[in-house]
Amino acid sequence: MSPVELDFDSCYRAVSARDARFDGRFYTAVTTTRIYCRPICPARTPSARNVRFYRHAASAEAAGFRPCKRCRPELSPGDPGWDVRGDLIGRALRLIDDGAADEQGVAGLAQRLHITERHLHRLFVAELGVGPLAVARTKRLLLAKQLLTETGLPVTEVAFAAGFGSVRQFNATMRETYGFTPSELRATAGPRAVVANGAAVAGGATLRLRLHRREPYDADGVLAFLTSRAIPGLEVADHTKYTRAVPGGTLTLTPKRDHIALDVTVDDTRQLARLVARCRRLLDLDADPDAISEVLGQTSLAPLVAARPGLRVPGAFDGFELAVRAVVGQQISVAGARTLLGRIVAKAAAPGGLFPTPARLLDTDLTGLGLTNRRIDTLKDLAARLAEGHIDLDGGQDPAEAVAALLEVRGIGPWTASYIALRALRDPDAWPTGDLVLNKRMAALGISHDHIERWRPWRAYAALHLWSSS
């Protein structure tokens, strides 16, 4: 079965113009050099007869091309189309980014998605031209390439941080795929690998990585949103940066001129791929602001879109954490919810000050924290369903099925389920039904409710525009 084909003329025009809107949507492979690039590569545009286009970096590598050292494909923002579709392939790619294939293998990945391994492979080949194993391998290689280029992490640590089982496997795979060893790549990076690396600290290593995004990007808006909702004891945020506890350490996200600086201090670098993926989702770095503005800018929201063209929908670092936030925040102020969540973390936090897991929350007595008995019952029911695997809020479950399962939890209604879909499930069309603030803002702006349907498929972004305008 042939993979879904790209329109050659459209892709070539984008490459010729170095159009940043297409960065991450496809890759350009040059047959004369056997190198593949991002559409924005500064190198001279190759002749059309020597070009091939691929949807995914793994497809280009499977065809025998190696990544360009100038434009660095490992820095490409993700393809926003997968969130819009929310289908099996999109969910599988999210789980691969989260390290599911490295930890559980393709069989475990298929199990998370409730399909057979054979069917999953067939879907990947039909869509991308390669199987999920090849995609996972490319993810590992590109993360390793970024670590070798941007940090001073020893090659041995890079191998494990990128998800390889051994240094020998890492060396062999990189030489076979890219034509050079990790040490040879590190040598070409020169002093940058040392300068970009953070200082060693007790209990772990501090690493700095660049997370690229699509422009425009409303960093101030994202930080303001996260700051007002930062849980005491878990997160610290202000108008310049966001910091939170993670397993074995902390991470800090700081907006820069053309990227987000991610500083990570952890005991075990093997979780690095998962942390990068979750930070990208938390900050909504892979969204397509032009596509969103094109739709919303033609509606009654046009003045809001013009005022904040790079607005993003902040995501979730962890699906269960976000669901607890949504339940606790029902019918109370943001500040009130923040206080209650801080008390929950203080009493039930996992070792290292982490947000409690579903199992840990189930075993914790939540009375005396200011929560109503009904709210405690809802949290316990929610935690039990996640602990038992009936609900998956981290990418494994179809969004519509996850929302339906959430609505079966006692005390979760359409607003709560929609809010979870908007932030944790990354549904760009989720709409928090019945939200009082949204209703007030629409009334103040003279927008009737029949306009809501005109904002599809970007109603989540419409909601953020309205919330942010208050």
Side-chain angles (χ1 to χ4, degrees):
M1 185 180 296
S2 300
V4 174
E5 293 187 2
L6 296 163
D7 181 77
F8 186 94
D9 291 338
S10 296
C11 290
Y12 193 75
R13 284 195 298 270
V15 170
S16 299
R18 294 174 177 79
D19 193 332
R21 294 175 301 173
F22 293 88
D23 192 15
R25 291 182 177 276
F26 68 85
Y27 295 88
T28 307
V30 184
T31 58
T32 52
T33 61
R34 307 305 298 174
I35 289 174
Y36 73 92
C37 304
R38 299 159 67 183
I40 62 171
C41 186
R44 186 177 64 181
T45 304
S47 170
R49 66 175 180 272
N50 297 326
V51 165
R52 305 288 183 272
F53 295 112
Y54 294 94
R55 284 284 306 278
H56 198 280
S59 308
E61 292 188 4
F65 297 92
R66 62 185 187 277
C68 175
K69 293 182 180 179
R70 291 187 65 183
C71 66
R72 300 181 58 196
E74 68 270 19
L75 299 182
S76 295
D79 187 340
W82 300 117
D83 275 342
V84 177
R85 288 169 46 168
D87 57 10
L88 268 169
I89 298 292
R91 300 202 308 277
L93 289 171
R94 172 174 171 173
L95 291 173
I96 289 173
D97 286 345
D98 217 39
D102 296 331
E103 295 177 358
Q104 306 160 21
V106 176
L109 175 64
Q111 187 175 16
R112 283 281 302 273
L113 295 164
H114 305 288
I115 59 174
T116 66
E117 187 176 349
R118 182 178 180 181
H119 183 48
L120 180 63
H121 182 83
R122 184 164 55 244
L123 290 174
F124 264 73
V125 171
E127 186 75 37
L128 301 174
V130 294
L133 191 62
V135 172
R137 185 179 74 163
T138 294
K139 285 285 182 183
R140 290 196 296 270
L141 284 169
L142 291 177
L143 175 58
K145 185 172 179 290
Q146 184 176 8
L147 290 169
L148 288 167
T149 304
E150 296 184 6
T151 80
L153 197 65
V155 172
T156 300
E157 288 294 320
V158 170
F160 295 117
F164 289 92
S166 69
V167 178
R168 176 176 293 183
Q169 180 195 35
F170 175 41
N171 283 325
T173 303
M174 183 160 276
R175 180 181 286 279
E176 175 189 355
T177 308
Y178 292 168
F180 46 75
T181 66
S183 297
E184 289 169 345
L185 176 61
R186 168 63 59 76
T188 64
R192 290 176 298 168
V194 177
V195 173
N197 184 41
V201 297
T206 300
L207 303 174
R208 167 165 287 195
L209 291 176
R210 296 158 60 96
L211 305 183
H212 282 247
R213 75 239 182 163
R214 288 187 174 83
E215 300 292 348
Y217 184 79
D218 182 14
D220 291 341
V222 172
L223 284 177
F225 188 96
L226 296 177
T227 298
S228 65
R229 292 162 178 80
I231 300 176
L234 177 70
E235 305 165 294
V236 177
D238 58 27
H239 68 284
T240 62
K241 62 182 180 296
Y242 167 87
T243 300
R244 69 172 288 135
V246 296
T250 62
L251 65 77
T252 297
L253 295 159
T254 308
K256 301 294 183 181
R257 183 180 60 83
D258 61 353
H259 68 280
I260 305 294
L262 166 61
D263 292 298
V264 186
T265 305
V266 288
D267 293 332
D268 185 358
T269 55
R270 287 176 295 183
Q271 62 175 311
L272 196 55
R274 174 181 287 109
L275 294 178
V276 168
R278 295 193 175 200
C279 287
R280 295 197 68 85
R281 291 199 294 272
L282 176 68
L283 301 184
D284 198 15
L285 298 183
D286 297 331
D288 185 346
D290 290 324
I292 297 165
S293 296
E294 184 177 352
V295 173
L296 299 184
Q298 303 300 316
T299 70
S300 50
L301 295 177
L304 302 184
V305 174
R308 305 184 71 172
L311 179 139
R312 295 294 203 273
V313 174
F317 193 81
D318 175 81
F320 176 63
E321 176 189 312
L322 191 283
V324 172
R325 289 175 184 261
V327 170
V328 172
Q330 292 173 349
Q331 299 177 333
I332 63 174
S333 67
V334 171
R338 185 171 176 259
T339 298
L340 292 176
L341 288 163
R343 293 172 184 169
I344 291 174
V345 169
K347 188 167 186 179
L354 304 177
F355 196 86
T357 62
R360 194 173 183 89
L361 196 69
L362 272 175
D363 293 337
T364 301
D365 181 3
L366 298 178
T367 59
L369 302 181
L371 296 164
T372 64
N373 290 334
R374 181 180 179 183
R375 196 77 75 236
I376 291 173
D377 290 342
T378 300
L379 291 174
K380 295 286 187 177
D381 190 10
L382 173 68
R385 291 171 189 256
L386 266 82
E388 294 165 2
H390 298 310
I391 301 176
D392 187 336
L393 299 178
D394 289 314
Q397 194 170 18
D398 177 87
E401 293 178 2
V403 167
L406 285 167
L407 290 172
E408 294 178 1
V409 177
R410 298 187 304 273
I412 288 185
W415 179 91
T416 305
S418 297
Y419 185 79
I420 295 170
L422 183 148
R423 293 193 60 194
L425 302 180
R426 307 301 304 139
D427 181 357
D429 200 37
W431 177 259
T433 304
D435 186 275
L436 294 178
V437 175
L438 292 180
N439 289 340
K440 289 180 179 178
R441 288 306 302 153
M442 289 175 66
L445 295 171
I447 301 173
S448 62
H449 278 73
D450 61 359
H451 284 229
I452 295 174
E453 288 301 307
R454 305 176 191 177
W455 301 333
R456 290 184 181 274
W458 307 112
R459 294 188 301 173
Y461 293 87
L464 259 293
H465 273 295
L466 290 165
W467 276 332
S468 301
S469 69
S470 59

